[in-house]
Amino acid sequence: MTLMAADSETPALQVKNLTVSLHTPRGTVRAVNDVSFAVERGKTLGIVGESGCGKTILCRTLIGLLPDCAVVGGESRVAFNGKGLLRLPDPDLNKIRGMKIAMVFQDPLSSLNPVMTIGRQIAEALVYHLGMKWKDADFQAIELLRSVGIPSPERRARQYPHQLSGGMRQRVAIAIALSCKPKLLIADEPTTALDVTVQEAVLDLLVLNQTERKMAIILVTHDLGIAASRAHEIAVMYAGRLVERISAQQLFDHVRMPYTRALVDALPKMNQPPHTPLRSIDGQPPDLAGEIGGCAFAPRCDRAEERCLSSIPPLQPTGDPHHLFACWNPIPESRP
């Protein structure tokens, strides 16, 4: 199956009614529940939420890397450049994954091969996807290491993942992901456990490649500050659902969903005195193996009403068609 070039107006990625269930010894977990969104070419969608809300399972579904216990709902649709992905045979999906759609995983030490040199891991992608000869691929691997800011790339190419720092390993993972010039990059917590200066360098690198190639990016993070500064649109996940979609420019002043407001309020503020305790969200996320009859955030929400406990609010626009939220009793809209 060949993916034809899509019309320039077609989003790079379209996700509609995506549902993913995991069959576990504790019961069926609805890890992703009726999620819909689109990512435009050259734009970045930031997906934020607490650990366990379904961000990683969502990303792995997009590239077909789900565990055997996972089942994708029958109404789910995922289209890349207008072509469906969920029901592609493995040989066709393998031609897309890594070449047209690439992913940077959260922990590069576990995603990189520990018994293969860095240079050979990058070269392997070039040989497999682009049909390069090994000699040419090895040379290109060194150039890719140089392009992502790895010092002494010729020497580093001969080293193994454990011989590199966390920041360098993440740059190597990015070099592998960018090696075939993908049209969509999925970055799952790419700055976790990195210090602030390395975080900025890694994110700057992604933006640079995005600008050069008009590449779409899905940036998954639990850090709302990073998402707001690097993404064009923010999608907030809670308990497997999207509960708010909003432009990054509107994030801090115009959120309507109480959960999003709580995430914003939990960020440290520059004008706060030293040692000011950070605000936290009371309670715990729900057990997704159980039945949730209403809004999943209701037990932790100070705006919850009786309807919130018994009926699930839909994700829908109110006023601004580009701002969607799922809440029966939203925060009043702020006025300029």
Side-chain angles (χ1 to χ4, degrees):
M1 179 178 179
T2 302
L3 286 182
M4 304 297 292
D7 185 274
S8 60
E9 298 300 319
T10 303
L13 183 75
Q14 289 178 300
V15 177
K16 292 185 178 181
N17 309 120
L18 180 62
T19 297
V20 183
S21 300
L22 304 177
H23 297 306
T24 73
R26 294 180 54 248
T28 299
V29 173
R30 190 70 63 89
V32 180
N33 198 341
D34 197 23
V35 167
S36 299
F37 62 84
V39 187
E40 304 292 336
R41 302 166 196 275
K43 301 294 185 180
T44 298
L45 172 69
I47 300 180
V48 301
E50 294 171 284
S51 296
C53 71
K55 304 187 300 293
T56 295
I57 289 293
L58 169 61
C59 291
R60 288 180 171 271
T61 305
L62 302 180
I63 58 173
L65 291 180
L66 287 173
D68 293 339
C69 65
V71 177
V72 180
E75 299 299 316
S76 303
R77 298 288 183 271
V78 176
F80 171 68
N81 284 344
K83 302 295 182 179
L85 294 181
L86 292 180
R87 290 158 187 83
L88 277 182
D90 285 342
D92 292 324
L93 187 57
N94 286 338
K95 294 176 183 177
I96 299 169
R97 186 170 50 207
M99 185 168 74
K100 296 181 182 295
I101 302 176
M103 185 165 177
V104 178
F105 294 91
Q106 181 173 349
D107 180 10
L109 189 58
S110 61
S111 62
L112 295 173
N113 189 331
V115 297
M116 185 182 291
T117 63
I118 294 301
R120 187 45 60 109
Q121 291 188 58
I122 301 174
E124 185 179 52
L126 298 169
V127 170
Y128 179 80
H129 288 295
L130 303 182
M132 279 189 178
K133 295 181 179 179
W134 277 106
K135 182 178 180 180
D136 295 333
D138 287 336
F139 175 80
Q140 184 63 24
I142 293 173
E143 293 305 305
L144 282 163
L145 288 175
R146 183 176 286 112
S147 73
V148 297
I150 298 288
S152 306
E154 294 87 353
R155 178 170 63 89
R156 296 295 185 182
R158 298 191 296 271
Q159 293 183 327
Y160 293 87
H162 72 274
Q163 296 175 286
L164 276 63
S165 67
M168 283 192 180
R169 286 195 294 265
Q170 195 62 288
R171 288 171 184 262
V172 170
I174 291 172
I176 295 172
L178 297 177
S179 61
C180 298
K181 300 181 179 180
K183 295 300 182 183
L184 171 65
L185 178 69
I186 303 170
D188 185 9
E189 301 276 10
T191 59
T192 295
L194 302 181
D195 63 57
V196 175
T197 55
V198 176
Q199 281 186 15
E200 289 298 310
V202 167
L203 294 170
D204 287 343
L205 180 62
L206 296 182
V207 172
L208 176 63
N209 280 270
Q210 179 180 52
T211 303
E212 290 177 347
R213 304 172 185 179
K214 205 175 181 182
M215 178 177 65
I217 295 178
I218 295 177
L219 176 61
V220 178
T221 179
H222 63 273
D223 190 325
L224 209 60
I226 287 177
S229 65
R230 299 290 178 164
H232 298 89
E233 184 182 17
I234 309 295
V236 182
M237 284 193 75
Y238 186 78
R241 290 182 178 272
L242 289 189
V243 295
E244 188 154 18
R245 279 171 47 193
I246 186 171
S247 69
Q249 293 85 351
Q250 293 182 307
L251 179 63
F252 293 104
D253 298 320
H254 298 283
V255 297
R256 306 292 306 280
M257 170 65 188
Y259 175 63
T260 311
R261 180 78 262 167
L263 291 178
V264 172
D265 290 343
L267 291 172
K269 308 296 190 297
M270 293 294 293
N271 59 354
Q272 289 177 332
H275 309 297
T276 299
L278 297 178
R279 295 185 64 176
S280 61
I281 306 174
D282 293 335
Q284 297 292 328
D287 181 359
L288 297 184
E291 193 69 29
I292 301 176
C295 173
F297 187 62
R300 308 171 71 185
C301 181
D302 57 9
R303 297 183 61 84
E305 301 175 335
E306 184 176 347
R307 186 183 187 186
C308 303
L309 299 170
S310 59
S311 181
I312 299 174
L315 183 69
Q316 59 186 359
T318 302
D320 182 354
H322 301 292
H323 181 188
L324 295 83
F325 56 90
C327 186
W328 293 126
N329 187 25
I331 297 168
E333 186 173 9
S334 59
R335 297 294 180 182

